[in-house]
Amino acid sequence: MDVDFGGVVNAVPGLRHEAGPCTEHVESDAAQRQRVENLLAGENRLLQMVASGYPLSSVLASLCRFVEEAAPECICGTYLIDWSVPAFKKGAAPSLPGTFLDAVEGLPVRTELCPCGVAALEKRQVIAEDLASDPLWRDTPYRGLLLSHGLESVWSTPILALSGRVLGTFAIYHRHPATPSTRVQELIAQVTHIASIAIERAEDEAALQRSEAFLAQGQHLSSTGSFAWRVDTDDITFSEELHRIFEFDRDDRVTLEQVTSRIHPDDLSLFAEQLDAARRTGKDLDNELRLRLPDNSVKFLRTIAHASQDQHGRVEYIGAVQDVTARRLSEQALERARSELAHVARVTTMGALTASIAHEVNQPLSGIVTNASTCLRMLAADSPDIEGARETARRTIRDANRASEVVARLRALFAKKELAMEPVDVNEVTREVIALSASALQRHRVVLHQDFTDDLPIVVADRIQLQQVILNLLLNAADAMKEVDDRTRRLSISTGRGDHDHVRLAVQDVGVGLDPQSVDKVFDAFYTTKTGGMGIGLSVSRSIIERHQGRLWAEPNDGPGATFVFSIPLDPAGVANAAPVKRNG
Amino acid sequence: MIERSLVSVVDDDESVRESLPDLLKQFGFAARTFSSAEAFLASEFVSETRCLLLDIAMPGMSGPDVQHELRRRRQEIPIVFITAHGDETIRPRLMADGAIECLFKPFSDTALLNALDVALRTRWP
């Protein structure tokens, strides 16, 4: 007979209950205590297995054995459900032959097929006390399967998640017709609860593993690793991909020393500087560094990290590191090609320009030479042709004027544009230039220090031309440090008030510095120390500053490198007119 | 009076057209000037010309174009190229194509006289 025990069997956690053989009988107090202790110990053992991450199948098998020991004559089976089919999946039935479990695997979850189907779909316990006589299952292949394994009774209970989702079913079989006692019902409630914990945990773990696998795959595909860095203890955690990028052994514990040992020697001072800044300020990190690996190969890494504080004020950086070597190398190749191209273009335009200047000048020169020769010959003849000589001399003068017109036209061609004067905040335009050149400076691995005087007066200047000068000074400074590898490529830019209502800006580098003899030559047009340089940047810069009634000069540093300074009056018009200088802000 | 050999000057630059004829007359030649290759080729003086002072780069037909056109017409005249483009690399090609000389402006009177001398001693088939 099918006995319904009231539908859903709710799992009750942490039950201290009694269970025993399937048939009730009187037991002594001592035996009862012993039994309860055994049950508790068994439950603890199962929960421990779950907590320590035993495979689900062995937890479920132990769970079956636990019930079989607590209630002799019971034979247990636990089945999982693949709801996408839906069909039963193997769980565990340690006391039944493998052929039985094999037969359950893939069995559709349907109410008319077996008691477990009803339990799963209707979320209620199903008791089939005597399969042989139960009309409900008479025509099912399931009945034949059970009977062929000598099983005559089955009680099937759904295993429910907290959310009410059916995770599987728990079945107890007997080799004779049987019904569950209250104790056994309590035992069933206890183990289905443990089973639901075990199954949910296994599902969570699988989902976590899947998500970790996704993450690892994503990190691998994008060559991006992640890290955590505790600033006070220097505890460092690297993701698997970051281990790979740094070519550390997967199982190595990463230390700051190990990381430092991988940093390219030329970038060590930059790295130390950035670590120091991070420790002091806790500001976000965004930098690019190179690694030198044991095989001497070089990698370019882009790092972005954000610091957060726990409640004790301890700072931890969490960040991502991307291997941008391939991109950098192609950028470098591109840049080489581009500068090569620019050089060729410059050479050819210069060539074309020179040729056209030569042509323009040679035409009148040719006239001059021919006319002068004719003139001489006319005068040298036996009867000098004075009138003819006068005419050729006139033409000579005219051709010479033509030549000088050509030169004047050339000068007009290179003539400077008018200044567009407006009120300008030197700090602001400098910040704009820095923002514009940030990536170029970063590429040169330059560490920029800014020292702006806050209440700087507004000047009247040509904003764009002033920015050209500042940009030129910045890039020159970065260029001058291109070969510097034994010290930080420190570039300091400062603004301040100068004497006589002037504003000054200084750009200091620690680069190759200036030869005392060439301090002034650097401002000459076409003087350059750079292979790619035209040598007009500083000369143009100086003429711009001078047109602002200011001064641009260079001075050697006490240490390595040079400082370029310009100083401009608040109002150039005021200076030019010798009128009192107006203060604009 | 001995008929003077005609030297024709083809150049788009006016100062050349003004100055060269006087010098050529001083040398004892008759001179005619043309401001374009087309004007020269269309004139009645082609067959009469004993030497052609020919600019290379001109609007319309270039100097070498004139050289080819004359060869096509079987009216080959000794040619002295004159150019304001100081590109030495064109000289060998022009010489190989049969030019007498290639003078780079500004050129001296003696250089011109030497070139004319060679041109007039050349006998064409």
Side-chain angles (χ1 to χ4, degrees):
Chain A
M1 252 210 76
D2 192 36
V3 182
D4 191 313
F5 269 71
V8 177
V9 176
N10 283 313
V12 185
L15 261 188
R16 276 182 195 212
H17 57 71
E18 303 166 13
C22 297
T23 43
E24 310 254 4
H25 65 98
V26 183
E27 58 183 349
S28 68
D29 283 355
Q32 192 181 345
R33 203 162 40 245
Q34 181 62 49
R35 191 170 47 77
V36 171
E37 277 169 16
N38 285 347
L39 283 178
L40 270 177
E43 183 182 319
N44 277 338
R45 208 173 54 242
L46 287 172
L47 287 172
Q48 259 173 27
M49 285 179 79
V50 173
S52 26
Y54 274 75
L56 181 61
S57 59
S58 60
V59 174
L60 295 179
S62 299
L63 187 135
C64 289
R65 278 198 204 93
F66 166 65
V67 175
E68 287 162 358
E69 273 163 31
E73 298 181 13
C74 290
I75 299 165
C76 300
T78 317
Y79 311 110
L80 306 174
I81 296 172
D82 177 356
W83 282 108
S84 64
V85 181
F88 287 100
K89 288 193 295 184
K90 273 182 210 178
S95 302
L96 290 171
T99 48
F100 182 80
L101 262 188
D102 287 345
V104 173
E105 167 95 31
L107 193 71
V109 181
R110 274 163 42 193
T111 49
E112 70 273 21
L113 286 183
C114 62
C116 281
V118 178
L121 290 169
E122 298 183 4
K123 293 190 189 178
R124 64 182 176 92
Q125 192 179 53
V126 177
I127 308 287
E129 182 187 342
D130 182 3
L131 271 177
S133 64
D134 197 330
L136 207 54
W137 312 108
R138 187 182 300 150
D139 299 324
T140 63
Y142 180 71
R143 175 174 176 265
L145 172 70
L146 260 61
L147 291 178
S148 72
H149 283 82
L151 306 172
E152 299 199 354
S153 155
V154 53
W155 317 330
S156 187
T157 311
I159 300 171
L160 298 173
L162 273 180
S163 63
R165 189 163 57 94
V166 179
L167 301 171
T169 58
F170 178 67
I172 294 182
Y173 308 97
H174 282 82
R175 296 196 183 279
H176 52 77
T179 51
S181 67
T182 317
R183 276 188 204 156
V184 171
Q185 282 291 19
E186 286 172 356
L187 186 62
I188 289 171
Q190 185 191 5
V191 296
T192 49
H193 179 57
I194 295 175
S196 79
I197 294 173
I199 295 169
E200 279 205 293
R201 176 176 163 133
E203 284 183 352
D204 288 350
E205 216 150 79
L208 186 66
Q209 269 176 15
R210 211 165 36 242
S211 122
E212 276 178 354
F214 273 144
L215 185 65
Q217 187 74 8
Q219 291 209 343
H220 191 53
L221 282 174
S222 64
S223 304
T224 305
S226 48
F227 71 92
W229 169 43
R230 271 278 299 276
V231 173
D232 57 341
T233 57
D234 275 341
D235 273 340
I236 292 175
T237 315
F238 267 30
S239 75
E240 193 184 324
E241 183 60 23
L242 200 51
H243 273 91
R244 201 177 350 231
I245 289 173
F246 271 74
E247 296 182 11
F248 287 147
D249 218 25
R250 235 183 109 152
D251 306 319
D252 274 358
R253 247 188 65 79
V254 178
T255 64
L256 191 58
E257 287 69 42
Q258 279 179 303
V259 174
T260 310
S261 73
R262 285 283 198 265
I263 303 291
H264 194 285
D266 295 350
D267 285 357
L268 271 175
S269 58
L270 183 62
F271 179 62
E273 194 129 352
Q274 284 173 345
L275 275 189
D276 188 47
R279 282 187 213 281
R280 271 186 295 117
T281 65
K283 279 191 185 153
D284 287 359
L285 289 176
D286 183 350
N287 63 48
E288 204 170 305
L289 284 168
R290 288 171 301 170
L291 299 187
R292 192 167 74 188
L293 298 158
D295 64 356
N296 273 331
S297 63
V298 171
K299 278 184 185 172
F300 292 77
L301 301 189
R302 167 88 194 278
T303 302
I304 295 175
H306 178 71
S308 55
Q309 276 187 17
D310 63 12
Q311 67 265 42
H312 308 294
R314 290 179 303 211
V315 177
E316 184 176 43
Y317 274 92
I318 309 273
V321 178
Q322 190 173 23
D323 182 349
V324 293
T325 310
R327 196 196 308 165
R328 267 312 148 258
L329 291 182
S330 57
E331 269 179 14
Q332 282 179 358
L334 191 64
E335 201 157 313
R336 265 199 306 280
R338 197 182 290 142
S339 82
E340 199 90 333
L341 188 67
H343 184 67
V344 170
R346 203 149 55 218
V347 168
T348 49
T349 25
M350 284 301 275
L353 192 65
T354 319
S356 91
I357 293 172
H359 183 260
E360 287 297 302
V361 176
N362 281 338
Q363 292 285 27
L365 278 183
S366 175
I368 291 169
V369 171
T370 306
N371 282 319
S373 306
T374 311
C375 182
L376 279 180
R377 283 175 188 273
M378 286 174 167
L379 293 175
D382 291 340
S383 53
D385 177 359
I386 303 295
E387 196 42 48
R390 193 174 283 138
E391 175 57 25
T392 53
R394 251 198 299 276
R395 288 204 300 250
T396 306
I397 294 168
R398 195 204 52 203
D399 283 346
N401 285 335
R402 244 183 85 194
S404 89
E405 272 165 31
V406 169
V407 174
R409 271 213 309 282
L410 280 172
R411 283 170 74 148
L413 193 67
F414 291 107
K416 293 146 193 162
K417 292 192 198 90
E418 279 299 300
L419 293 177
M421 303 302 263
E422 58 179 317
V424 170
D425 177 347
V426 173
N427 284 347
E428 186 193 308
V429 299
T430 308
R431 284 197 192 95
E432 284 173 13
V433 172
I434 289 171
L436 277 175
S437 51
S439 72
L441 295 179
Q442 174 106 76
R443 233 185 355 265
H444 279 86
R445 292 188 304 285
V446 164
V447 180
L448 185 69
H449 285 262
Q450 304 174 28
D451 179 15
F452 292 163
T453 298
D454 283 335
D455 55 344
L456 209 58
I458 301 291
V459 299
V460 176
D462 184 314
R463 184 189 192 85
I464 304 292
Q465 296 210 1
L466 211 54
Q467 290 192 324
Q468 277 180 10
V469 173
I470 298 168
L471 182 67
N472 190 245
L473 295 182
L474 276 184
L475 296 182
N476 269 351
D479 252 0
M481 298 192 282
K482 211 157 50 183
E483 310 292 327
V484 172
D485 288 328
D486 59 338
R487 55 185 181 265
T488 302
R489 298 180 182 176
R490 190 187 164 98
L491 194 164
S492 308
I493 181 158
S494 61
T495 60
R497 281 164 180 267
D499 301 334
H500 311 299
D501 281 324
H502 274 57
V503 165
R504 70 201 294 277
L505 178 142
V507 175
Q508 185 176 48
D509 65 60
V510 294
V512 287
L514 292 171
D515 186 355
Q517 277 91 50
S518 61
V519 167
D520 281 324
K521 259 202 254 166
V522 293
F523 294 104
D524 292 350
F526 304 115
Y527 175 86
T528 183
T529 55
K530 293 178 267 181
T531 45
M534 270 272 272
I536 57 172
L538 280 173
S539 109
V540 167
S541 294
R542 179 176 254 183
S543 74
I544 289 174
I545 293 299
E546 283 174 353
R547 269 149 38 86
H548 283 81
Q549 311 298 326
R551 240 163 39 83
L552 168 63
W553 70 94
E555 45 197 41
N557 296 338
D558 290 340
T563 304
F564 283 80
V565 189
F566 72 70
S567 168
I568 51 172
L570 299 189
D571 187 351
V575 172
N577 303 334
V581 175
K582 276 176 285 179
R583 211 167 273 210
N584 253 327
Chain B
M1 192 174 156
I2 309 159
E3 198 180 330
R4 295 177 160 203
S5 305
L6 177 64
V7 177
S8 294
V9 178
V10 180
D11 198 317
D12 61 321
D13 187 72
E14 199 188 350
S15 66
V16 171
R17 293 202 305 275
E18 273 182 2
S19 58
L20 268 183
D22 282 349
L23 186 59
L24 291 169
K25 282 170 195 155
Q26 286 295 314
F27 289 156
F29 298 106
R32 292 238 167 230
T33 60
F34 303 88
S35 63
S36 72
E38 289 84 348
F40 169 67
L41 289 172
S43 77
E44 56 194 291
F45 299 103
V46 176
S47 56
E48 209 184 300
T49 298
R50 300 296 318 280
C51 178
L52 185 59
L53 295 183
L54 183 58
D55 190 15
I56 293 177
M58 289 177 289
M61 280 179 89
S62 71
D65 289 342
V66 176
Q67 186 180 26
H68 292 140
E69 175 61 15
L70 289 174
R71 183 164 301 156
R72 198 188 61 77
R73 293 187 188 181
R74 301 184 183 282
Q75 285 186 306
E76 292 185 61
I77 306 166
I79 293 174
V80 174
F81 282 105
I82 52 178
T83 177
H85 285 287
D87 185 1
E88 294 279 349
T89 57
I90 58 170
R91 190 173 187 276
R93 213 187 59 223
L94 293 171
M95 301 294 281
D97 271 357
I100 297 298
E101 184 52 279
C102 177
L103 298 174
F104 294 97
K105 296 175 190 173
F107 45 83
S108 71
D109 51 354
T110 46
L112 178 61
L113 193 55
N114 289 340
L116 289 168
D117 215 32
V118 174
L120 294 179
R121 275 193 275 108
T122 305
R123 287 286 168 265
W124 297 89

